Amino acid sequence: MSIKFVPESASFHLTAKDTSYVISIVDDEKFVAHTYFGKKIPDENVNYLLRLGNYSLPSKNNRERVNFYSTFPQEFSTSGLGDFREPCLMVRDKNGNSCCSLNYRAHKIYAGKPKLEGLPCTFGSESECTTLELECEDSVLGLEITLLYTVFENLDVIARSVKVKNCSGDPIDLLRVLSACVDFDGAGYEMVTQHGAWARERHVQRRPVLYGKATVDSSLGKSGHEQNPFMALMAPGAGDENGEVFGFNFVYSGNFFMQAELSPIDLTRVVMGINPYDFSWRLEPGESFTAPEVVIVYSDKGLDKMTSTFHDLYRNHLIRGEYKDKKRPILINNWEATYFNFNTEKLIDIAKEASKSGIEMLVMDDGWFGKRNDDNSSLGDWFVNEEKLKGGLKYLVDEVNKLGMKFGIWVEPEMISPDSELYRKHPDWCLKTPGREPSLARNQLVLDYSRQDVRDYIYETMCSLLSSANIEYVKWDMNRPLTNMGSACLPKERQGELYHRHVLGLYEILEKLTEKFPHVLLEHCSGGGARFDPGMLYYSPQIWCSDDTDAIERLEIQKGTALVYPVSTMGAHVSDVPNHIVGRSASFDTRGIVALSGTFGYELDVTRIPKEDREKIPGQVEMYHKYNNLVRTGDYYRLTPLFKKLPYECWGFVAKDKSEALVTYVCIMGVPNIHSRRIRLKGLDENAFYRNEETGEVFSGAVLMNAGININVNHDFEAKLFHFAKV
Ligand code: DGJ
């Protein structure tokens, strides 16, 4: 068992691969202390780390109780008693008060990992995981607070979540229930986050954690373009390949809150969970609330090791379904090819031409339903627009299938257009507050997923759509944030539950649909990559990374995304030039090479691109089939520093058995009159020898990693792959 309770020190020792995490129960009141988190240690009593002399403890010195709370490293911080740092738990009780405390009562340790009801979470077998349930209470409130921890035996990962149960006889309103708090000793940490905007998602940012609080969050009702529910804390001196890094990722797709705080006495606290912004949850007597999971990764070798741990965790213990370990069909999507202007004939033309080059699936994007010819109407009317698709959906799908291609479809099921049959029939089915005109975005409103009738309707509608033809892929889009938070069905004391209920409703539908249609490949999307989070990855193995398909912009986006999320999850396509967003023209080869480090597909009118580009597609298809296993299943390495802007970008993939490696190099801006670039590879077997596939030259793994290869690719936007196979 890798979780152990040591009665002598009253402490729990959680051991994940090379990581230790220690929790201690202290004083007569059984406060729960966070004692240690870092590299594996053998000691069974490390309580000295808490610096709790007799003087500090309330049982010995009650006159300084506030002083105790304000410096004590609470394992799960509570509010109102003297800990002035960020609380994880805050309530409104029957008297209208908000104080709460957390005291140990009992515990359970067992093999395996429990599911979180209605929520996505990582999974692992009994031989892979051990779980601790730390049962705590606030006896004044009658609240039972269970802190859940699962350690992974073979990964430096600890997953946490929290369950709160009302054991009193009165309702209690939860004002915040975050999912995790970790107190670090000392100052000088740096915080790494992913920020962005539409078409510029997940750029990476690093900043010092200074006195005060630094927050990243979302109140958009989705994880968002702006910030991702990820944060890494880098210990002083840590870098790409060295030092301690603590990575946190919230397995949730709605409003989130992550904060790093440096207190005046140099304690660094990290908290995260559902954003308390406009959140409340009414717990009637006997009811429980479960907070979503946070996964915490420990690395003693910098950001590189953190990345590879997240990738392995998500590929093996989060993503589910048939495509989990499978190569995805190469698709061609008509969005950038036609936007709303298409019909059956046009789509079949694209499919015909695409099938000749080995493209395997046609995806019909937005504009096929209701009377949708632009983005002003019809969301909610999920029946085919017969004027555009003469012969109907089944006819089109059958024709595409006859060409030997699969067929996929775009939907946006969380939305409703005011100009739709659905809205005219059910004007109360969208989010809105009485007396106020709801704010439109892209001329659309959001369906109220807190309502069972709405969820049932959407589920049934999606089932009929997916059963109406041989649909083998779905792109599930979500193009606006949630606003006007009001539900016609919830009582006033429960309106604060709406943001979370939307996400729970979405998860419910996705769970049912993926169970009923296990063969359908699901790709999530949200105006590009505004909902790229581990919550969504539980339901779909891939997410559209960004509406920005320019190969050069994609370098930053894909590198930033891959800091946490596996390359196999990143939707990436070759699109037309000049690029629709930035007007840049990278070569067809470069566009292919960059999309290869993702799911790989096309997003262009293959009947209209230049002949010389079209003729390159079969070669790119071959490249995908040759390298996708390595890209999808291998270890990904950044071969340029994460935080340094260079005129080139380089990353690599190494097979798990170290038998081969692929290096992707892209020159962003050519620099005249320089030597070739020297790039050092990572992750090879230093004692093995590798042949450069192109030149036939043989090098030791040691020289490739310690000295590197010379790369002479120096024209703007030029890219090249280098493949090495063990001899
Ligand atoms: C936003 C997506 O990111 C695009 O790929 C496309 O599907 C449009 N929505 C369609 O409205």
Side-chain angles (χ1 to χ4, degrees):
M1 279 281 183
S2 36
I3 299 185
K4 185 167 157 189
F5 177 62
V6 180
E8 295 73 25
S9 55
S11 53
F12 296 91
H13 295 251
L14 287 64
T15 312
K17 202 169 175 239
D18 295 319
T19 307
S20 287
Y21 188 105
V22 183
I23 302 163
S24 308
I25 309 301
V26 303
D27 209 18
D28 303 346
E29 289 178 49
K30 300 196 161 111
F31 298 107
V32 186
H34 176 72
T35 314
Y36 175 80
F37 180 27
K39 204 166 166 74
K40 194 160 160 179
I41 49 170
D43 311 59
E44 297 204 330
N45 186 349
V46 288
N47 289 346
Y48 74 95
L49 293 171
L50 295 170
R51 299 195 182 92
L52 293 173
N54 279 349
Y55 168 77
S56 318
L57 295 168
S59 63
K60 307 283 185 324
N61 188 14
N62 198 35
R63 72 183 289 276
E64 298 300 348
R65 186 176 274 265
V66 167
N67 190 43
F68 164 75
Y69 272 118
S70 66
T71 57
F72 180 65
Q74 289 204 76
E75 183 55 29
F76 192 68
S77 52
T78 54
S79 70
L81 300 173
D83 184 346
F84 304 107
R85 293 159 292 171
E86 197 68 21
C88 287
L89 185 67
M90 192 186 257
V91 301
R92 183 74 62 214
D93 68 13
K94 62 176 179 197
N95 303 312
N97 303 134
S98 67
C99 292
C100 49
S101 63
L102 184 100
N103 308 88
Y104 167 81
R105 197 165 70 187
H107 69 267
K108 263 192 263 175
I109 296 172
Y110 53 88
K113 184 172 192 300
K115 278 190 167 183
L116 298 181
E117 215 194 311
L119 287 167
C121 60
T122 54
F123 53 81
S125 67
E126 290 192 358
S127 61
E128 292 166 327
C129 295
T130 309
T131 295
L132 164 68
E133 290 192 12
L134 206 58
E135 205 181 293
C136 306
E137 65 179 351
D138 180 322
S139 56
V140 175
L141 291 174
L143 263 195
E144 184 183 283
I145 305 128
T146 306
L147 308 181
L148 290 154
Y149 301 81
T150 298
V151 296
F152 285 77
E153 307 279 332
N154 296 318
L155 285 169
D156 289 298
V157 174
I158 298 174
R160 288 182 64 171
S161 66
V162 179
K163 275 187 193 161
V164 182
K165 185 171 179 193
N166 181 0
C167 301
S168 79
D170 300 289
I172 297 180
D173 289 317
L174 303 174
L175 300 185
R176 61 160 74 198
V177 190
L178 302 190
S179 297
C181 167
V182 184
D183 281 347
F184 294 85
D185 197 73
Y189 287 89
E190 287 179 289
M191 158 182 173
V192 179
T193 56
Q194 297 162 314
H195 69 99
W198 173 74
R200 194 160 36 79
E201 293 88 339
R202 285 171 300 287
H203 285 216
V204 177
Q205 174 170 265
R206 175 183 187 172
R207 57 182 136 157
V209 179
L210 301 173
Y211 293 111
K213 298 177 178 184
T215 300
V216 290
D217 68 351
S218 162
S219 53
L220 300 145
K222 57 177 172 174
S223 38
H225 296 106
E226 292 74 359
Q227 307 284 348
N228 196 260
F230 159 78
M231 180 192 288
L233 205 64
M234 296 176 71
D240 287 327
E241 296 174 44
N242 69 292
E244 288 193 295
V245 174
F246 304 84
F248 301 89
N249 204 192
F250 193 31
V251 187
Y252 187 62
S253 313
N255 290 350
F256 70 87
F257 176 83
M258 299 187 121
Q259 190 181 78
E261 168 181 10
L262 179 59
S263 79
I265 58 161
D266 286 357
L267 297 174
T268 301
R269 170 170 290 178
V270 170
V271 295
M272 74 219 52
I274 291 179
N275 196 342
Y277 169 81
D278 197 12
F279 170 86
S280 63
W281 195 276
R282 165 68 49 111
L283 277 188
E284 294 294 342
E287 282 183 354
S288 313
F289 178 84
T290 302
E293 177 168 289
V294 167
V295 292
I296 309 176
V297 166
Y298 171 72
S299 162
D300 61 344
K301 293 195 179 60
L303 289 160
D304 281 6
K305 191 173 165 199
M306 178 202 77
T307 292
S308 70
T309 304
F310 271 121
H311 287 197
D312 286 344
L313 177 74
Y314 291 163
R315 285 184 293 189
N316 300 317
H317 301 279
L318 177 71
I319 293 167
R320 305 173 298 166
E322 230 165 69
Y323 281 96
K324 178 176 184 284
D325 300 313
K326 232 167 86 177
K327 205 197 273 180
R328 322 281 158 72
I330 302 176
L331 65 82
I332 183 160
N333 178 303
N334 75 307
W335 179 241
E336 286 192 30
T338 65
Y339 296 106
F340 294 99
N341 187 17
F342 62 88
N343 56 22
T344 304
E345 232 182 337
K346 179 73 214 169
L347 293 177
I348 292 178
D349 277 356
I350 292 179
K352 262 190 194 144
E353 193 56 55
S355 67
K356 288 188 209 156
S357 308
I359 295 175
E360 297 157 312
M361 178 159 74
L362 175 80
V363 174
M364 176 172 67
D365 211 279
D366 193 355
W368 59 267
F369 51 93
K371 54 181 181 60
R372 189 150 164 109
N373 291 313
D374 55 30
D375 56 9
N376 283 313
S377 79
S378 305
L379 294 168
D381 297 345
W382 300 112
F383 48 83
V384 84
N385 179 336
E386 297 263 357
E387 272 170 38
K388 272 172 140 172
L389 299 190
K390 296 231 160 48
L393 185 58
K394 183 155 178 1
Y395 169 75
L396 171 64
V397 178
D398 288 348
E399 288 303 300
V400 171
N401 286 169
K402 277 186 209 158
L403 295 167
M405 291 177 85
K406 296 177 191 294
F407 182 88
I409 200 164
W410 177 97
V411 288
E412 194 178 1
E414 291 153 83
M415 299 294 155
I416 181 165
S417 304
D419 181 7
S420 66
E421 289 185 17
L422 189 68
Y423 187 81
R424 284 184 278 277
K425 208 161 154 203
H426 297 289
D428 58 335
W429 273 17
C430 66
L431 300 175
K432 57 178 155 192
T433 49
R436 204 179 290 279
E437 187 64 28
S439 309
L440 290 164
R442 215 190 188 203
N443 219 358
Q444 64 198 55
L445 298 169
V446 183
L447 282 171
D448 178 0
Y449 267 29
S450 74
R451 296 175 63 136
Q452 189 68 54
D453 51 356
V454 171
R455 298 201 299 275
D456 289 347
Y457 174 82
I458 289 297
Y459 172 68
E460 293 304 333
T461 308
M462 288 301 124
C463 287
S464 344
L465 174 66
L466 297 184
S467 313
S468 68
N470 185 24
I471 295 170
E472 297 182 77
Y473 162 105
V474 169
K475 178 176 175 188
W476 181 296
D477 206 346
M478 196 256 196
N479 281 302
R480 60 154 293 168
L482 274 56
T483 60
N484 301 84
M485 299 309 289
S487 166
C489 276
L490 289 174
K492 84 170 191 291
E493 64 280 6
R494 288 196 179 272
Q495 293 285 336
E497 301 177 7
L498 203 42
Y499 276 118
H500 185 48
R501 284 190 183 274
H502 180 89
V503 182
L504 292 179
L506 170 68
Y507 289 156
E508 178 193 292
I509 296 173
L510 291 174
E511 185 66 38
K512 285 186 353 192
L513 279 177
T514 46
E515 211 175 291
K516 191 169 163 79
F517 298 96
H519 308 306
V520 171
L521 170 60
L522 186 58
E523 174 156 354
H524 277 110
C525 172
S526 179
R531 205 160 52 181
F532 206 121
D533 59 62
M536 297 317 274
L537 286 178
Y538 187 65
Y539 304 98
S540 63
Q542 59 193 58
I543 302 177
W544 184 228
C545 219
S546 176
D547 277 346
D548 200 328
T549 50
D550 171 62
I552 302 304
E553 287 298 314
R554 276 295 185 121
L555 297 175
E556 198 85 3
I557 296 170
Q558 292 181 198
K559 186 181 186 180
T561 305
L563 177 63
V564 185
Y565 304 104
V567 170
S568 60
T569 66
M570 305 190 315
H573 298 166
V574 176
S575 66
D576 208 352
V577 291
N579 180 265
H580 292 196
I581 289 173
V582 291
R584 197 175 281 134
S585 293
S587 72
F588 205 73
D589 290 340
T590 296
R591 283 175 269 156
I593 284 176
V594 174
L596 183 72
S597 294
T599 55
F600 193 77
Y602 292 87
E603 180 114 6
L604 39 72
D605 186 346
V606 67
T607 67
R608 295 177 59 173
I609 55 170
K611 187 165 166 277
E612 51 287 10
D613 285 352
R614 192 163 46 242
E615 285 172 356
K616 288 196 161 150
I617 297 178
Q620 290 188 339
V621 166
E622 201 186 315
M623 165 182 86
Y624 169 79
H625 288 304
K626 184 164 175 197
Y627 296 131
N628 179 259
N629 271 347
L630 173 56
V631 168
R632 218 181 58 252
T633 66
D635 289 324
Y636 159 88
Y637 291 98
R638 288 178 291 275
L639 301 179
T640 48
L642 183 61
F643 297 107
K644 205 165 165 190
K645 278 237 180 247
L646 294 170
Y648 56 95
E649 191 53 84
C650 189
W651 54 62
F653 301 93
V654 179
K656 285 278 176 198
D657 64 1
K658 299 184 188 294
S659 60
E660 57 171 334
L662 183 70
V663 174
T664 300
Y665 183 95
V666 184
C667 171
I668 299 169
M669 288 292 273
V671 179
N673 197 14
I674 50 154
H675 280 310
S676 54
R677 304 276 181 203
R678 179 76 50 83
I679 295 286
R680 290 199 282 168
L681 275 56
K682 294 181 184 175
L684 302 176
D685 175 353
E686 59 180 355
N687 298 315
F689 287 86
Y690 294 86
R691 175 172 287 114
N692 178 329
E693 188 190 333
E694 187 193 22
T695 64
E697 293 166 288
V698 173
F699 305 95
S700 68
V703 80
L704 290 173
M705 292 194 292
N706 296 316
I709 54 171
N710 296 331
I711 296 189
N712 211 345
V713 174
N714 196 30
H715 286 166
D716 292 1
F717 317 149
E718 191 186 355
K720 194 164 171 178
L721 292 177
F722 300 83
H723 183 240
F724 295 88
K726 213 171 183 175
V727 291

